[in-house]
Amino acid sequence: MITLGIETSCDETSCAILEGEQNLLSNIISSSLNRHKPYGGIVPEIASRHSLENIQIVFDEALKKAKKKISDIDLISVTYGPGLIGSLLVGVSFAKALSFSNKIPLVGVNHLIAHMEANLIEHSRPKGDYLGVVVSGGHSMLLHCKKGQYQKIGTTIDDAIGEAYDKVAKLMGLGYPGGPIMDRLAREGDPHCYRFTKPKLKSSLDFSFSGIKTAMLYLIRDLNGKLESEKNHLAASFQHNVTEWIVLAVEEAIKKTNSKHVLVGGGVSANSLLRTKLQDLGKKLSVDIWIPPLALTLDNAGMIARVGYDLYKNKQSVGMDLTAKPNLSI
Ligand code: KG4
Ligand code: ZN
C-alpha cells in the first residue's frame, strides 16, 4: 500500500510517500523559516502563503523522488490540527481535492500523535500500554496510551518547552528559532554557572517554564553589556535545568504508569542533551525510550503518513467534510 502524507500545520510544507508500514520512499520538507526570521517568530500569514505557493511543488517532488505516480497512491493522510488555521487549510484543501478528483481514500491526522508515532517508522508499535512524550514549539505533554487510546497525564501549565527556548534565545539576541542555537552554545558553556529553582507544581507530571524565562530576563538585564561573554554559560545553565525537569517528569510518569516503552517526539526532541539524558534514563530503568532520527523530530509528512496508515488499517477514513481544527487536542 502506498500512502501520501501531507503536513502544513505551521511553517513547514511537507509531502511524503510511505510504502507499506515503514518504508519511507520520500519525505520532502520546504520551510518558510527564513521568511520569518526578521520578525523573531512565526508570522501566520507568511506561513500559510508559503504553503499555498509550495504545496504543489513539494507534492511533485515527493512523487518524483519516490518514483511514483498519482495513480499509485492508495491513501491520502493529512494533518488537520492542531496548528495555524491558514496553514492547516492549505494542506486539508489540497488533500481533499486530490482525494475527490482521483477517488483516493482520505484520513485526517492529529499532529501531536504523529510526533510520537514518528518512532513507528523505525520500531513496531509496543504490544501493551506505553508512555508518550511530546516536546515541541507549541506543546509539552505526557500521555499514557492505554488500549490504543491516548490520555493526557501531564502538561505545561504555561509555556511549551520549545516556546521557552525561542523566547529566551530572543532575549539573548540569538535569532529564531532559538532551540538549535541555544543547543549549540550550551555545548561550550558551564551548566552549573547559573542556578535556577525547579518550579513547585501540584502534579509532578506537569511542567512550567515561564519562571526560568523571567529569571533569564533579569540575569540578562543585570549583565549590562557583559552578555556576550556569558552567552554560553547562560545557554548551558538554562538547558541543563529545563532538560532535567523534563527527564524527572518522564521518570515519574514511567514509574506511575509502569511503562516499558516511551515514544518521544517533537522539535525539542532534536536537543542533544535531552536525547542523551533520556537515553541514560532508559538504561537506568531498563525501559525502551525511543526518539526519532533528527530528520523525523521536526515537522514532516513522513510521520503523518505513518499514523494515517494505521488509522486506515483500523477502518477509519473521512470524507469531504474533513476540516482544519486549529485547537485539536488529544
Ligand atoms: O515540532 P516542531 O517542529 O513544531 C511544532 O510542532 O511546534 O518544533 C519546533 C520547536 C521550536 O521551538 C525550536 O526552537 C525547537 O523545536 N527546537 C529545539 C531544537 N531544535 C528545534 N529546541 C531545543 N534544541 C534543539 N536542538
Ligand atoms: Zn510539530
Side-chain angles (χ1 to χ4, degrees), residues 9 111 115 136 267 299 303:
S9 67
H111 181 87
H115 267 311
S136 76
D299 291 353
M303 63 183 191

Side-chain angles (χ1 to χ4, degrees), residues 45-59:
E45 177 68 14
I46 293 178
S48 56
R49 274 173 193 271
H50 178 89
S51 277
L52 193 57
E53 287 159 16
N54 288 281
I55 184 93
Q56 182 73 48
I57 301 166
V58 170
F59 168 65

Side-chain angles (χ1 to χ4, degrees), residues 204-275:
S204 53
L205 304 186
D206 283 343
F207 314 99
S208 166
F209 301 109
S210 73
I212 191 167
K213 187 185 65 189
T214 311
M216 290 285 285
L217 170 76
Y218 291 137
L219 277 173
I220 292 162
R221 187 195 60 187
D222 296 344
L223 275 170
N224 266 331
K226 281 197 287 170
L227 174 62
E228 205 45 51
S229 59
E230 291 301 300
K231 272 182 178 167
N232 295 352
H233 300 321
L234 281 168
S237 303
F238 173 85
Q239 176 146 298
H240 166 70
N241 281 271
V242 293
T243 53
E244 201 62 34
W245 300 343
I246 290 175
V247 171
L248 282 172
V250 173
E251 178 165 4
E252 190 77 12
I254 291 173
K255 289 178 178 162
K256 275 200 173 139
T257 58
N258 209 8
S259 297
K260 287 279 161 241
H261 299 273
V262 184
L263 275 61
V264 186
V268 184
S269 67
N271 186 269
S272 57
L273 186 61
L274 183 62
R275 291 175 85 89

Side-chain angles (χ1 to χ4, degrees), residues 7 9-12 82 111-112 115 135-139 161-166 176-184 187 239 265-272 294 297-300 303:
E7 154 65 39
S9 67
C10 192
D11 56 329
E12 268 93 25
H111 181 87
L112 300 177
H115 267 311
V135 280
S136 76
H139 297 86
I161 170 78
E163 192 181 355
Y165 260 103
D166 294 337
Y176 182 86
I181 311 171
M182 293 274 288
D183 192 3
R184 222 169 32 244
R187 283 178 225 150
Q239 176 146 298
V268 184
S269 67
N271 186 269
S272 57
L294 285 183
T297 57
L298 298 171
D299 291 353
N300 70 91
M303 63 183 191

